[in-house]
PDB file of all heavy atoms in Angstrom:
ATOM      1  N   LEU A   1      14.095  -5.940   6.693  1.00 98.00           N
ATOM      2  CA  LEU A   1      12.861  -5.956   7.477  1.00 98.00           C
ATOM      3  C   LEU A   1      12.289  -4.537   7.430  1.00 98.00           C
ATOM      4  O   LEU A   1      12.898  -3.618   7.978  1.00 98.00           O
ATOM      5  CB  LEU A   1      13.109  -6.397   8.920  1.00 98.00           C
ATOM      6  CG  LEU A   1      11.868  -6.637   9.792  1.00 98.00           C
ATOM      7  CD1 LEU A   1      12.192  -7.589  10.946  1.00 98.00           C
ATOM      8  CD2 LEU A   1      11.272  -5.351  10.368  1.00 98.00           C
ATOM      9  N   VAL A   2      11.182  -4.359   6.748  1.00 98.00           N
ATOM     10  CA  VAL A   2      10.561  -3.041   6.632  1.00 98.00           C
ATOM     11  C   VAL A   2       9.916  -2.718   7.981  1.00 98.00           C
ATOM     12  O   VAL A   2       8.916  -3.315   8.363  1.00 98.00           O
ATOM     13  CB  VAL A   2       9.517  -3.010   5.502  1.00 98.00           C
ATOM     14  CG1 VAL A   2       8.875  -1.629   5.414  1.00 98.00           C
ATOM     15  CG2 VAL A   2      10.161  -3.397   4.173  1.00 98.00           C
ATOM     16  N   GLY A   3      10.512  -1.764   8.700  1.00 98.00           N
ATOM     17  CA  GLY A   3      10.079  -1.495  10.069  1.00 98.00           C
ATOM     18  C   GLY A   3       8.767  -0.755  10.174  1.00 98.00           C
ATOM     19  O   GLY A   3       8.070  -0.861  11.200  1.00 98.00           O
ATOM     20  N   GLU A   4       8.410   0.000   9.121  1.00 98.00           N
ATOM     21  CA  GLU A   4       7.137   0.718   9.086  1.00 98.00           C
ATOM     22  C   GLU A   4       6.678   0.885   7.650  1.00 98.00           C
ATOM     23  O   GLU A   4       7.480   1.179   6.774  1.00 98.00           O
ATOM     24  CB  GLU A   4       7.252   2.122   9.704  1.00 98.00           C
ATOM     25  CG  GLU A   4       7.501   2.176  11.192  1.00 98.00           C
ATOM     26  CD  GLU A   4       7.530   3.619  11.703  1.00 98.00           C
ATOM     27  OE1 GLU A   4       7.004   4.525  11.003  1.00 98.00           O
ATOM     28  OE2 GLU A   4       8.092   3.837  12.793  1.00 98.00           O
ATOM     29  N   PHE A   5       5.387   0.687   7.426  1.00 98.00           N
ATOM     30  CA  PHE A   5       4.693   1.202   6.255  1.00 98.00           C
ATOM     31  C   PHE A   5       3.216   1.221   6.610  1.00 98.00           C
ATOM     32  O   PHE A   5       2.766   0.494   7.487  1.00 98.00           O
ATOM     33  CB  PHE A   5       4.962   0.358   4.998  1.00 98.00           C
ATOM     34  CG  PHE A   5       4.149  -0.912   4.913  1.00 98.00           C
ATOM     35  CD1 PHE A   5       2.984  -0.968   4.164  1.00 98.00           C
ATOM     36  CD2 PHE A   5       4.563  -2.062   5.581  1.00 98.00           C
ATOM     37  CE1 PHE A   5       2.240  -2.135   4.078  1.00 98.00           C
ATOM     38  CE2 PHE A   5       3.828  -3.237   5.506  1.00 98.00           C
ATOM     39  CZ  PHE A   5       2.662  -3.279   4.747  1.00 98.00           C
ATOM     40  N   GLY A   6       2.463   2.093   5.969  1.00 97.00           N
ATOM     41  CA  GLY A   6       1.039   2.157   6.278  1.00 97.00           C
ATOM     42  C   GLY A   6       0.401   3.394   5.696  1.00 97.00           C
ATOM     43  O   GLY A   6       1.028   4.177   4.989  1.00 97.00           O
ATOM     44  N   GLY A   7      -0.875   3.580   5.994  1.00 96.00           N
ATOM     45  CA  GLY A   7      -1.629   4.717   5.501  1.00 96.00           C
ATOM     46  C   GLY A   7      -3.108   4.508   5.709  1.00 96.00           C
ATOM     47  O   GLY A   7      -3.553   3.388   6.008  1.00 96.00           O
ATOM     48  N   TYR A   8      -3.882   5.564   5.572  1.00 96.00           N
ATOM     49  CA  TYR A   8      -5.327   5.479   5.758  1.00 96.00           C
ATOM     50  C   TYR A   8      -6.003   4.635   4.679  1.00 96.00           C
ATOM     51  O   TYR A   8      -6.914   3.867   4.941  1.00 96.00           O
ATOM     52  CB  TYR A   8      -5.953   6.881   5.741  1.00 96.00           C
ATOM     53  CG  TYR A   8      -5.866   7.625   7.049  1.00 96.00           C
ATOM     54  CD1 TYR A   8      -5.225   8.858   7.114  1.00 96.00           C
ATOM     55  CD2 TYR A   8      -6.433   7.103   8.208  1.00 96.00           C
ATOM     56  CE1 TYR A   8      -5.147   9.562   8.308  1.00 96.00           C
ATOM     57  CE2 TYR A   8      -6.357   7.794   9.408  1.00 96.00           C
ATOM     58  CZ  TYR A   8      -5.721   9.027   9.456  1.00 96.00           C
ATOM     59  OH  TYR A   8      -5.641   9.704  10.643  1.00 96.00           O
ATOM     60  N   HIS A   9      -5.541   4.780   3.441  1.00 96.00           N
ATOM     61  CA  HIS A   9      -6.300   4.254   2.309  1.00 96.00           C
ATOM     62  C   HIS A   9      -5.678   2.980   1.743  1.00 96.00           C
ATOM     63  O   HIS A   9      -4.467   2.904   1.538  1.00 96.00           O
ATOM     64  CB  HIS A   9      -6.384   5.312   1.204  1.00 96.00           C
ATOM     65  CG  HIS A   9      -6.966   6.616   1.667  1.00 96.00           C
ATOM     66  ND1 HIS A   9      -8.273   6.748   2.037  1.00 96.00           N
ATOM     67  CD2 HIS A   9      -6.391   7.829   1.849  1.00 96.00           C
ATOM     68  CE1 HIS A   9      -8.504   7.997   2.407  1.00 96.00           C
ATOM     69  NE2 HIS A   9      -7.378   8.677   2.316  1.00 96.00           N
ATOM     70  N   VAL A  10      -6.543   1.996   1.477  1.00 96.00           N
ATOM     71  CA  VAL A  10      -6.095   0.746   0.863  1.00 96.00           C
ATOM     72  C   VAL A  10      -6.959   0.393  -0.346  1.00 96.00           C
ATOM     73  O   VAL A  10      -6.900  -0.723  -0.845  1.00 96.00           O
ATOM     74  CB  VAL A  10      -6.117  -0.421   1.885  1.00 96.00           C
ATOM     75  CG1 VAL A  10      -5.119  -0.196   2.993  1.00 96.00           C
ATOM     76  CG2 VAL A  10      -7.519  -0.622   2.458  1.00 96.00           C
ATOM     77  N   ASP A  11      -7.754   1.351  -0.841  1.00 96.00           N
ATOM     78  CA  ASP A  11      -8.660   1.097  -1.956  1.00 96.00           C
ATOM     79  C   ASP A  11      -7.904   1.073  -3.288  1.00 96.00           C
ATOM     80  O   ASP A  11      -6.715   1.375  -3.362  1.00 96.00           O
ATOM     81  CB  ASP A  11      -9.748   2.178  -1.999  1.00 96.00           C
ATOM     82  CG  ASP A  11      -9.144   3.566  -2.156  1.00 96.00           C
ATOM     83  OD1 ASP A  11      -8.764   4.186  -1.133  1.00 96.00           O
ATOM     84  OD2 ASP A  11      -9.035   4.025  -3.309  1.00 96.00           O
ATOM     85  N   LYS A  12      -8.609   0.746  -4.347  1.00 95.00           N
ATOM     86  CA  LYS A  12      -8.001   0.607  -5.666  1.00 95.00           C
ATOM     87  C   LYS A  12      -7.930   1.923  -6.427  1.00 95.00           C
ATOM     88  O   LYS A  12      -7.386   1.959  -7.538  1.00 95.00           O
ATOM     89  CB  LYS A  12      -8.805  -0.389  -6.501  1.00 95.00           C
ATOM     90  CG  LYS A  12      -8.864  -1.797  -5.937  1.00 95.00           C
ATOM     91  CD  LYS A  12      -9.724  -2.684  -6.822  1.00 95.00           C
ATOM     92  CE  LYS A  12      -9.820  -4.100  -6.267  1.00 95.00           C
ATOM     93  NZ  LYS A  12     -10.689  -4.955  -7.117  1.00 95.00           N
ATOM     94  N   TYR A  13      -8.483   2.989  -5.867  1.00 95.00           N
ATOM     95  CA  TYR A  13      -8.665   4.209  -6.641  1.00 95.00           C
ATOM     96  C   TYR A  13      -7.800   5.379  -6.157  1.00 95.00           C
ATOM     97  O   TYR A  13      -7.320   6.162  -6.978  1.00 95.00           O
ATOM     98  CB  TYR A  13     -10.145   4.602  -6.632  1.00 95.00           C
ATOM     99  CG  TYR A  13     -11.043   3.461  -7.029  1.00 95.00           C
ATOM    100  CD1 TYR A  13     -11.782   2.768  -6.071  1.00 95.00           C
ATOM    101  CD2 TYR A  13     -11.098   3.036  -8.356  1.00 95.00           C
ATOM    102  CE1 TYR A  13     -12.581   1.699  -6.434  1.00 95.00           C
ATOM    103  CE2 TYR A  13     -11.899   1.962  -8.732  1.00 95.00           C
ATOM    104  CZ  TYR A  13     -12.640   1.293  -7.759  1.00 95.00           C
ATOM    105  OH  TYR A  13     -13.422   0.225  -8.121  1.00 95.00           O
ATOM    106  N   SER A  14      -7.605   5.526  -4.858  1.00 95.00           N
ATOM    107  CA  SER A  14      -6.771   6.621  -4.357  1.00 95.00           C
ATOM    108  C   SER A  14      -5.301   6.283  -4.571  1.00 95.00           C
ATOM    109  O   SER A  14      -4.910   5.117  -4.635  1.00 95.00           O
ATOM    110  CB  SER A  14      -7.027   6.845  -2.865  1.00 95.00           C
ATOM    111  OG  SER A  14      -6.556   5.745  -2.102  1.00 95.00           O
ATOM    112  N   LYS A  15      -4.464   7.321  -4.694  1.00 95.00           N
ATOM    113  CA  LYS A  15      -3.035   7.083  -4.911  1.00 95.00           C
ATOM    114  C   LYS A  15      -2.420   6.336  -3.737  1.00 95.00           C
ATOM    115  O   LYS A  15      -1.589   5.449  -3.921  1.00 95.00           O
ATOM    116  CB  LYS A  15      -2.308   8.409  -5.151  1.00 95.00           C
ATOM    117  CG  LYS A  15      -2.635   9.061  -6.481  1.00 95.00           C
ATOM    118  CD  LYS A  15      -1.702  10.219  -6.805  1.00 95.00           C
ATOM    119  CE  LYS A  15      -0.360   9.760  -7.292  1.00 95.00           C
ATOM    120  NZ  LYS A  15       0.486  10.854  -7.802  1.00 95.00           N
ATOM    121  N   GLU A  16      -2.820   6.716  -2.509  1.00 96.00           N
ATOM    122  CA  GLU A  16      -2.264   6.025  -1.349  1.00 96.00           C
ATOM    123  C   GLU A  16      -2.702   4.567  -1.325  1.00 96.00           C
ATOM    124  O   GLU A  16      -1.911   3.671  -0.994  1.00 96.00           O
ATOM    125  CB  GLU A  16      -2.691   6.714  -0.049  1.00 96.00           C
ATOM    126  CG  GLU A  16      -2.016   6.099   1.171  1.00 96.00           C
ATOM    127  CD  GLU A  16      -2.434   6.753   2.481  1.00 96.00           C
ATOM    128  OE1 GLU A  16      -3.641   6.707   2.803  1.00 96.00           O
ATOM    129  OE2 GLU A  16      -1.563   7.296   3.160  1.00 96.00           O
ATOM    130  N   GLY A  17      -3.963   4.311  -1.689  1.00 97.00           N
ATOM    131  CA  GLY A  17      -4.443   2.937  -1.730  1.00 97.00           C
ATOM    132  C   GLY A  17      -3.708   2.113  -2.765  1.00 97.00           C
ATOM    133  O   GLY A  17      -3.331   0.958  -2.516  1.00 97.00           O
ATOM    134  N   ILE A  18      -3.506   2.697  -3.947  1.00 97.00           N
ATOM    135  CA  ILE A  18      -2.753   2.003  -5.001  1.00 97.00           C
ATOM    136  C   ILE A  18      -1.340   1.714  -4.527  1.00 97.00           C
ATOM    137  O   ILE A  18      -0.809   0.608  -4.722  1.00 97.00           O
ATOM    138  CB  ILE A  18      -2.741   2.855  -6.291  1.00 97.00           C
ATOM    139  CG1 ILE A  18      -4.149   2.942  -6.873  1.00 97.00           C
ATOM    140  CG2 ILE A  18      -1.757   2.291  -7.313  1.00 97.00           C
ATOM    141  CD1 ILE A  18      -4.305   3.992  -7.956  1.00 97.00           C
ATOM    142  N   TRP A  19      -0.710   2.716  -3.882  1.00 97.00           N
ATOM    143  CA  TRP A  19       0.654   2.547  -3.377  1.00 97.00           C
ATOM    144  C   TRP A  19       0.725   1.412  -2.343  1.00 97.00           C
ATOM    145  O   TRP A  19       1.612   0.554  -2.411  1.00 97.00           O
ATOM    146  CB  TRP A  19       1.138   3.857  -2.749  1.00 97.00           C
ATOM    147  CG  TRP A  19       2.376   3.674  -1.937  1.00 97.00           C
ATOM    148  CD1 TRP A  19       3.646   3.605  -2.392  1.00 97.00           C
ATOM    149  CD2 TRP A  19       2.439   3.474  -0.522  1.00 97.00           C
ATOM    150  NE1 TRP A  19       4.517   3.380  -1.350  1.00 97.00           N
ATOM    151  CE2 TRP A  19       3.800   3.299  -0.198  1.00 97.00           C
ATOM    152  CE3 TRP A  19       1.481   3.432   0.486  1.00 97.00           C
ATOM    153  CZ2 TRP A  19       4.213   3.081   1.116  1.00 97.00           C
ATOM    154  CZ3 TRP A  19       1.903   3.223   1.786  1.00 97.00           C
ATOM    155  CH2 TRP A  19       3.256   3.045   2.096  1.00 97.00           C
ATOM    156  N   GLN A  20      -0.223   1.401  -1.363  1.00 97.00           N
ATOM    157  CA  GLN A  20      -0.195   0.344  -0.344  1.00 97.00           C
ATOM    158  C   GLN A  20      -0.375  -1.034  -0.965  1.00 97.00           C
ATOM    159  O   GLN A  20       0.298  -1.998  -0.571  1.00 97.00           O
ATOM    160  CB  GLN A  20      -1.281   0.579   0.712  1.00 97.00           C
ATOM    161  CG  GLN A  20      -0.905   1.582   1.783  1.00 97.00           C
ATOM    162  CD  GLN A  20      -1.511   1.253   3.139  1.00 97.00           C
ATOM    163  OE1 GLN A  20      -1.047   0.326   3.804  1.00 97.00           O
ATOM    164  NE2 GLN A  20      -2.502   2.019   3.542  1.00 97.00           N
ATOM    165  N   ARG A  21      -1.283  -1.151  -1.917  1.00 98.00           N
ATOM    166  CA  ARG A  21      -1.513  -2.446  -2.565  1.00 98.00           C
ATOM    167  C   ARG A  21      -0.272  -2.912  -3.325  1.00 98.00           C
ATOM    168  O   ARG A  21       0.108  -4.088  -3.268  1.00 98.00           O
ATOM    169  CB  ARG A  21      -2.703  -2.344  -3.517  1.00 98.00           C
ATOM    170  CG  ARG A  21      -4.048  -2.277  -2.808  1.00 98.00           C
ATOM    171  CD  ARG A  21      -5.190  -1.936  -3.740  1.00 98.00           C
ATOM    172  NE  ARG A  21      -6.457  -2.045  -3.051  1.00 98.00           N
ATOM    173  CZ  ARG A  21      -7.215  -3.153  -3.003  1.00 98.00           C
ATOM    174  NH1 ARG A  21      -6.808  -4.240  -3.653  1.00 98.00           N
ATOM    175  NH2 ARG A  21      -8.344  -3.184  -2.333  1.00 98.00           N
ATOM    176  N   LYS A  22       0.356  -1.979  -4.018  1.00 98.00           N
ATOM    177  CA  LYS A  22       1.591  -2.318  -4.735  1.00 98.00           C
ATOM    178  C   LYS A  22       2.681  -2.766  -3.768  1.00 98.00           C
ATOM    179  O   LYS A  22       3.431  -3.714  -4.044  1.00 98.00           O
ATOM    180  CB  LYS A  22       2.072  -1.109  -5.540  1.00 98.00           C
ATOM    181  CG  LYS A  22       1.262  -0.814  -6.793  1.00 98.00           C
ATOM    182  CD  LYS A  22       1.650  -1.728  -7.931  1.00 98.00           C
ATOM    183  CE  LYS A  22       0.991  -1.323  -9.223  1.00 98.00           C
ATOM    184  NZ  LYS A  22       1.348  -2.251 -10.337  1.00 98.00           N
ATOM    185  N   PHE A  23       2.762  -2.074  -2.633  1.00 98.00           N
ATOM    186  CA  PHE A  23       3.828  -2.406  -1.689  1.00 98.00           C
ATOM    187  C   PHE A  23       3.591  -3.770  -1.038  1.00 98.00           C
ATOM    188  O   PHE A  23       4.539  -4.550  -0.850  1.00 98.00           O
ATOM    189  CB  PHE A  23       3.955  -1.323  -0.617  1.00 98.00           C
ATOM    190  CG  PHE A  23       5.239  -1.403   0.156  1.00 98.00           C
ATOM    191  CD1 PHE A  23       6.458  -1.260  -0.483  1.00 98.00           C
ATOM    192  CD2 PHE A  23       5.225  -1.642   1.527  1.00 98.00           C
ATOM    193  CE1 PHE A  23       7.651  -1.352   0.226  1.00 98.00           C
ATOM    194  CE2 PHE A  23       6.417  -1.731   2.243  1.00 98.00           C
ATOM    195  CZ  PHE A  23       7.634  -1.586   1.581  1.00 98.00           C
ATOM    196  N   VAL A  24       2.350  -4.067  -0.705  1.00 98.00           N
ATOM    197  CA  VAL A  24       2.040  -5.396  -0.148  1.00 98.00           C
ATOM    198  C   VAL A  24       2.369  -6.482  -1.161  1.00 98.00           C
ATOM    199  O   VAL A  24       2.936  -7.530  -0.803  1.00 98.00           O
ATOM    200  CB  VAL A  24       0.567  -5.464   0.298  1.00 98.00           C
ATOM    201  CG1 VAL A  24       0.148  -6.908   0.574  1.00 98.00           C
ATOM    202  CG2 VAL A  24       0.346  -4.612   1.550  1.00 98.00           C
ATOM    203  N   ASN A  25       2.049  -6.253  -2.423  1.00 98.00           N
ATOM    204  CA  ASN A  25       2.404  -7.223  -3.461  1.00 98.00           C
ATOM    205  C   ASN A  25       3.919  -7.390  -3.566  1.00 98.00           C
ATOM    206  O   ASN A  25       4.426  -8.490  -3.801  1.00 98.00           O
ATOM    207  CB  ASN A  25       1.834  -6.797  -4.813  1.00 98.00           C
ATOM    208  CG  ASN A  25       0.328  -6.955  -4.878  1.00 98.00           C
ATOM    209  OD1 ASN A  25      -0.259  -7.712  -4.102  1.00 98.00           O
ATOM    210  ND2 ASN A  25      -0.313  -6.239  -5.779  1.00 98.00           N
ATOM    211  N   TYR A  26       4.650  -6.283  -3.378  1.00 98.00           N
ATOM    212  CA  TYR A  26       6.115  -6.329  -3.422  1.00 98.00           C
ATOM    213  C   TYR A  26       6.665  -7.134  -2.248  1.00 98.00           C
ATOM    214  O   TYR A  26       7.593  -7.936  -2.403  1.00 98.00           O
ATOM    215  CB  TYR A  26       6.658  -4.896  -3.404  1.00 98.00           C
ATOM    216  CG  TYR A  26       8.126  -4.785  -3.748  1.00 98.00           C
ATOM    217  CD1 TYR A  26       8.543  -4.876  -5.071  1.00 98.00           C
ATOM    218  CD2 TYR A  26       9.082  -4.552  -2.763  1.00 98.00           C
ATOM    219  CE1 TYR A  26       9.890  -4.753  -5.404  1.00 98.00           C
ATOM    220  CE2 TYR A  26      10.425  -4.424  -3.090  1.00 98.00           C
ATOM    221  CZ  TYR A  26      10.818  -4.525  -4.412  1.00 98.00           C
ATOM    222  OH  TYR A  26      12.148  -4.410  -4.741  1.00 98.00           O
ATOM    223  N   LEU A  27       6.087  -6.913  -1.064  1.00 98.00           N
ATOM    224  CA  LEU A  27       6.493  -7.694   0.106  1.00 98.00           C
ATOM    225  C   LEU A  27       6.270  -9.181  -0.130  1.00 98.00           C
ATOM    226  O   LEU A  27       7.118 -10.020   0.191  1.00 98.00           O
ATOM    227  CB  LEU A  27       5.691  -7.253   1.328  1.00 98.00           C
ATOM    228  CG  LEU A  27       5.924  -5.846   1.882  1.00 98.00           C
ATOM    229  CD1 LEU A  27       4.922  -5.542   2.990  1.00 98.00           C
ATOM    230  CD2 LEU A  27       7.338  -5.683   2.414  1.00 98.00           C
ATOM    231  N   LYS A  28       5.110  -9.498  -0.701  1.00 97.00           N
ATOM    232  CA  LYS A  28       4.772 -10.908  -0.945  1.00 97.00           C
ATOM    233  C   LYS A  28       5.705 -11.525  -1.981  1.00 97.00           C
ATOM    234  O   LYS A  28       6.215 -12.637  -1.785  1.00 97.00           O
ATOM    235  CB  LYS A  28       3.319 -11.001  -1.399  1.00 97.00           C
ATOM    236  CG  LYS A  28       2.841 -12.431  -1.619  1.00 97.00           C
ATOM    237  CD  LYS A  28       1.367 -12.461  -1.994  1.00 97.00           C
ATOM    238  CE  LYS A  28       0.896 -13.905  -2.193  1.00 97.00           C
ATOM    239  NZ  LYS A  28      -0.549 -13.961  -2.526  1.00 97.00           N
TER     240      LYS A  28
END
């Protein structure tokens, strides 16, 4: 159970946004 993940950016272009999108896909 991933107790925390997050960040300001969820766009396709910033590194943090790319990371969050990848992680959500991994969770799914």
Side-chain angles (χ1 to χ4, degrees):
L1 188 156
V2 179
E4 292 183 19
F5 80 98
Y8 278 122
H9 304 292
V10 295
D11 59 275
K12 298 178 181 179
Y13 309 104
S14 68
K15 290 191 77 171
E16 186 181 61
I18 293 167
W19 167 81
Q20 279 213 74
R21 286 170 173 269
K22 286 280 188 182
F23 195 61
V24 167
N25 289 339
Y26 193 77
L27 293 173
K28 183 177 181 179

